[in-house]
Amino acid sequence: MENRINNIVKILDEKKGENIEVFDVRDKNYMVDFVVVATTLNSKHAFSLQDELKIQLKPLGEEFLRVDEDDNWTVVDLGDIMVHLISENYREKYHLDDFLAEIAKGRQ
């Protein structure tokens, strides 16, 4: 699992994803075990990040169960890992990091 998370973070970092955070929510009654959040520069950047994840992770056996996207927020469901590619404005507006941090601490 650690290797999978590291691969995701590395890809996002290499492609200029910003403020990358990983939340361990195992055993916290959440829908996945890990959540990765990265800020995107714009909608084209989000698409580029999503595309690069597919290009690099599919050959490693990663299965993309679902991808939901719009101009401000893309969610990639890998089964036990969820990746959020989110605009800076939406990240500030929805406080996703605070929400996930609370879950990770077991307070949600």
Side-chain angles (χ1 to χ4, degrees):
M1 179 66 79
E2 185 177 332
N3 192 40
R4 292 172 63 209
I5 297 292
N6 289 339
N7 285 338
I8 292 167
V9 170
K10 180 180 178 223
I11 293 165
L12 295 174
D13 185 54
E14 287 175 351
K15 293 299 177 180
K16 308 298 184 219
E18 298 181 344
N19 302 318
I20 301 166
E21 296 287 338
V22 177
F23 298 91
D24 181 348
V25 291
R26 289 177 288 185
D27 304 319
K28 303 297 184 198
N29 201 24
Y30 195 66
M31 64 188 91
V32 294
D33 291 336
F34 288 89
V35 180
V36 180
V37 181
T39 300
T40 61
L41 303 174
N42 54 49
S43 61
K44 289 182 181 181
H45 184 229
F47 178 78
S48 174
L49 290 173
Q50 170 199 322
D51 195 46
E52 195 62 31
L53 287 172
K54 286 182 180 178
I55 289 168
Q56 291 195 41
L57 295 177
K58 279 189 173 186
L60 300 175
E62 203 68 66
E63 185 178 355
F64 287 67
L65 301 177
R66 184 174 172 106
V67 176
D68 288 321
E69 60 186 308
D70 68 23
D71 288 342
N72 291 293
W73 200 332
T74 300
V75 180
V76 179
D77 183 355
L78 302 173
D80 51 358
I81 302 170
M82 189 168 295
V83 180
H84 291 269
L85 307 172
I86 188 168
S87 70
E88 185 174 354
N89 288 340
Y90 267 46
R91 196 162 178 179
E92 289 174 13
K93 179 178 180 178
Y94 290 103
H95 304 281
L96 182 61
D97 296 73
D98 296 339
F99 171 74
L100 292 168
E102 289 297 313
I103 290 172
K105 291 177 187 172
R107 295 183 186 159
Q108 203 60 358

